[in-house]
């Protein structure tokens, strides 16, 4: 739905460094960046881990584990890998249950969100092997770079029911301009 994500921190590191916080439309801009530098851009948001998480997510995860209804969408698989170990199993189910029951207040080995560059082809194999990219890398960009967007995945929210201002599904993104 191309809705942006609010309050994500977009980090520029390398020849220049800067952090920007996205407004409601999810956009970001870095101005006056060295044309001949080397840069990495990443996105971070680690707030409100329970946003969008409910018993339906727990049921979907359980159904996947017992192979009743296997998840195939790589973004849902990424959301289901709660402990970020490259497997979707009982340990993910237990941690999601602990979060729902407020036994824990955040994920133990994961952030609330993971952001993937939109030019990354996310596959189930990449999710299970944890070989997907979470950054954009530039070597001597020369000119302005536009459409340097990211998809975001709200961890644990398998049915994508979180607030649109705190969730980026496979159709929602961080959009950009780097000058």
């Amino acid at each position: 739905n191309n809705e942006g994500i609010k309050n994500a921190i977009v980090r520029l590191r390398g020849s220049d460094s800067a952090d920007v916080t996205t407004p409601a439309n999810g956009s970001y801009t870095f101005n006056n960046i060295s044309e001949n530098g080397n840069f990495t851009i990443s996105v971070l948001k680690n707030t409100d881990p329970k946003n969008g998480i409910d018993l339906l997510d727990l049921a979907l995860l359980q159904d996947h584990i017992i192979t009743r209804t296997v998840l195939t969408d790589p973004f849902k698989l990424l959301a289901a890998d709660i402990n970020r170990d490259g497997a979707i199993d009982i340990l993910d189910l237990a941690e999601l249950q602990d979060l729902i029951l407020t036994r824990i207040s955040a994920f133990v080995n994961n952030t609330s969100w993971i952001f993937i560059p939109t030019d990354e082809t996310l596959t189930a194999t990449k999710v299970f092997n944890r070989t997907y990219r979470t950054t954009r890398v530039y070597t001597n960009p020369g000119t302005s770079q536009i459409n340097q967007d990211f998809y975001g995945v709200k961890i644990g929210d398998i049915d994508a029911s979180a607030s649109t201002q705190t969730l980026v599904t496979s159709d929602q993104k961080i959009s950009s301009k780097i000058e």
Side-chain angles (χ1 to χ4, degrees), residues 1 27 37 103 155 165:
N1 63 17
S27 65
R103 291 182 189 141
I155 301 305
Q165 284 301 294

Side-chain angles (χ1 to χ4, degrees), residues 39 74 83 85 92 105 121 131 140:
F39 308 100
N83 62 5
D85 67 352
D92 299 298
S105 60
T121 303
T131 56
N140 302 319

Side-chain angles (χ1 to χ4, degrees), residues 53-166:
I53 295 176
D54 54 27
L55 293 177
L56 179 56
D57 297 301
L58 202 62
L60 291 169
L61 184 54
Q62 180 176 324
D63 283 354
H64 175 81
I65 292 168
I66 65 171
T67 67
R68 180 181 302 152
T69 307
V70 177
L71 300 172
T72 57
D73 180 293
F75 290 94
K76 289 184 179 187
L77 292 169
L78 191 56
D81 187 12
I82 308 298
N83 62 5
R84 203 173 184 177
D85 67 352
I88 298 172
D89 55 24
I90 193 72
L91 298 174
D92 299 298
L93 188 68
E95 188 165 342
L96 188 61
Q97 182 176 353
D98 285 348
L99 184 70
I100 290 170
L101 296 173
T102 62
R103 291 182 189 141
I104 59 173
S105 60
F107 298 119
V108 177
N109 292 316
N110 211 342
T111 56
S112 308
W113 310 61
I114 292 179
F115 294 89
I116 309 291
T118 55
D119 63 347
E120 172 76 9
T121 303
L122 191 63
T123 65
T125 300
K126 286 183 178 182
V127 170
F128 294 129
N129 292 331
R130 297 179 15 205
T131 56
Y132 50 87
R133 289 184 301 120
T134 59
T135 62
R136 289 185 170 277
V137 178
Y138 305 90
T139 303
N140 302 319
T143 61
S144 292
Q145 304 290 313
I146 58 171
N147 299 319
Q148 302 300 295
D149 303 338
F150 288 83
Y151 292 128
V153 178
K154 172 67 181 68
I155 301 305
D157 185 26
I158 299 163
D159 69 343
S161 63
S163 165
T164 59
Q165 284 301 294
T166 56

